[in-house]
Amino acid sequence: MELIGLINAYSTLNLGDAAIYSAFRTLLPGADLVAHVQDPEPDSTLGIRFLPRRPDGCSAYVSVGGDIFNNSREWLITKAFLQNLAELTRHASRTLLFGQSIPRSCHGLSFFALCRCLRRLAAVCVRDAQSHLRLRQAGVEARLSFDTAFVLECSDSARRAALALFQASGLDPSRSAVLSVRAFDSMYAHDNDRFVERMAALCRGLAQAHLTPAILIQSRAYGADNDLEVARSIAVRSPGTVILDPFLHHSGFPSWQLAMGVFQLAQRVIAVRYHTAVLALAAGTVPFHLHYSNKGQDLCTRLQLPGSDLGGFDPADTLNAVLSAPRDGFDHQSLRDQVRRDFAWCLGRLPATGIA
């Protein structure tokens, strides 16, 4: 059995990242997948063997982080950024980067350093057109695909657990609008107070339209990457808004599976977080995407999804757009097949191994 290291992994407490790790389990069914995250107790249901230190001695390495190349110190380079680059190039000829984005904060000297590293890798495949264009213009032979989590599917047990979660919260999924939220910091320049007020106004509008707003907690990770405080602030300003937390329900399968079941059952899904949109689409539900970065904007553009930029978010206009948007009709199987083909192409660029 081939030992494959997932490098630059972040946390299983963000269900988007957890979904990415499980997606590689799906793409590499015959491999022993190992990774290191900062969580004291990583999620053991993802199919990944978590190590107390970074993977080493592997046949191949896959860089799996989403926006790990954020560089919060403009015109300088952060220590975390340099550590990510070092991890990326430790075994460059046996390393591929798949399904990542190059965020806007990575520019100037940091982008130059990143491109020097990427040119040494066996294969580079990004998930949004802007990252692809930037890398190609910088001389990196990059391929364009979609997020790795698109290969995932919602199980029957997850749907049953999601229905039980709705019912335990006194919700009828056919009369519910599920939203994701997040806090913003220097990585993504949005005003948190303004965001909370506008999301609360949207929730009140949904209630007036006879849809119960339910905020799904997508991340319980670190710093600004924890949705609980923002969700509670919105619920205070919009009485009747329910908070659904998949991390509190230990049902033997990952939190992303439960979230996927919720997105499949809900009448409407309003995605602020990127992986809410990805997992909803992978479950066959068309979300309305209030995107805050190039990866979300790309998803709306290339897949022709209903959505708008979070910076110009108007609650009344958004409510009307959400209520009139389609819920069904997305061909998630063709996208799943494309991600599989792109990953197989990347594997083919690695030195000869037994990876299938």
Side-chain angles (χ1 to χ4, degrees):
M1 181 181 289
E2 294 283 346
L3 183 65
I4 308 297
L6 304 183
I7 61 172
N8 285 324
Y10 164 53
S11 173
T12 65
L13 294 173
N14 179 310
L15 64 82
D17 287 82
I20 290 173
Y21 309 151
S22 286
F24 282 107
R25 173 75 287 160
T26 299
L27 290 167
L28 293 162
D32 180 13
L33 297 184
V34 294
H36 169 71
V37 294
Q38 58 186 300
D39 309 338
E41 297 182 12
D43 188 343
S44 61
T45 66
L46 302 180
I48 309 298
R49 186 158 59 90
F50 289 102
L51 306 176
R53 62 189 64 83
R54 65 188 186 184
D56 204 0
C58 301
S59 300
Y61 300 85
V62 184
S63 182
V64 301
D67 282 351
I68 63 162
F69 300 116
N70 263 313
N71 184 59
S72 60
R73 297 182 67 190
E74 190 170 10
W75 309 119
L76 298 173
I77 300 182
T78 65
K79 181 180 178 181
F81 185 87
L82 289 173
Q83 289 172 337
N84 288 333
L85 293 189
E87 184 75 356
L88 195 62
T89 54
R90 237 172 6 114
H91 306 284
S93 65
R94 287 183 282 141
T95 297
L96 58 89
L97 179 148
F98 190 81
Q100 297 185 239
S101 295
I102 312 303
R104 296 186 184 104
S105 63
C106 180
H107 61 88
L109 185 59
S110 60
F111 183 65
F112 175 79
L114 173 62
C115 289
R116 286 192 63 183
C117 294
L118 294 182
R119 292 189 198 103
R120 298 171 55 193
L121 303 189
V124 174
C125 185
V126 292
R127 63 186 176 183
D128 70 276
Q130 185 180 105
S131 294
H132 181 250
L133 178 62
R134 290 180 67 195
L135 291 177
R136 297 285 291 197
Q137 289 176 337
V140 177
E141 186 187 350
R143 190 179 181 96
L144 176 61
S145 187
F146 288 94
D147 191 86
T148 320
F150 273 114
V151 303
L152 298 172
E153 300 182 60
C154 185
S155 67
D156 290 338
S157 57
R159 277 189 292 272
R160 290 192 293 270
L163 180 59
L165 178 59
F166 275 115
Q167 293 171 338
S169 301
L171 298 175
D172 175 359
S174 69
R175 302 302 308 166
S176 298
V178 173
L179 308 90
S180 62
V181 299
R182 65 161 299 150
F184 296 98
D185 56 13
S186 59
M187 298 296 187
Y188 301 108
H190 291 278
D191 185 285
N192 278 304
D193 292 336
R194 186 181 185 190
F195 173 70
V196 166
E197 290 296 340
R198 291 186 174 190
M199 289 300 292
L202 177 59
C203 288
R204 293 192 296 269
L206 289 166
Q208 290 169 4
H210 308 292
L211 288 171
T212 303
I215 300 174
L216 183 126
I217 303 300
Q218 188 176 304
S219 183
R220 275 179 166 267
Y222 310 98
D225 195 25
N226 188 320
D227 302 340
L228 278 169
E229 184 177 347
V230 171
R232 288 166 178 161
S233 296
I234 293 169
V236 167
R237 292 163 174 79
S238 176
T241 297
V242 176
I243 295 176
L244 301 176
D245 191 343
F247 294 96
L248 298 180
H249 299 267
H250 305 287
S251 44
F253 48 78
S255 55
W256 64 260
Q257 269 274 15
L258 182 54
M260 209 170 179
V262 167
F263 301 148
Q264 191 173 73
L265 293 173
Q267 180 60 32
R268 297 286 175 182
V269 175
I270 302 167
V272 171
R273 279 193 173 271
Y274 174 75
H275 274 100
T276 295
V278 170
L279 292 173
L281 289 167
T285 299
V286 179
F288 188 93
H289 193 8
L290 284 167
H291 48 81
Y292 57 86
S293 65
N294 54 299
K295 59 185 177 182
Q297 182 181 30
D298 174 80
L299 208 60
C300 284
T301 301
R302 282 202 287 156
L303 299 180
Q304 298 182 309
L305 300 180
S308 63
D309 186 270
L310 187 64
F313 167 39
D314 177 82
D317 290 345
T318 298
L319 176 64
N320 292 331
V322 166
L323 297 177
S324 61
R327 181 193 181 278
D328 305 303
F330 180 74
D331 182 9
H332 48 294
Q333 188 57 51
S334 63
L335 205 58
R336 186 173 290 123
D337 292 342
Q338 179 177 340
V339 173
R340 286 184 175 276
R341 287 193 302 271
D342 291 330
F343 187 67
W345 178 86
C346 288
L347 288 180
R349 302 289 297 269
L350 289 168
T353 68
I355 304 170

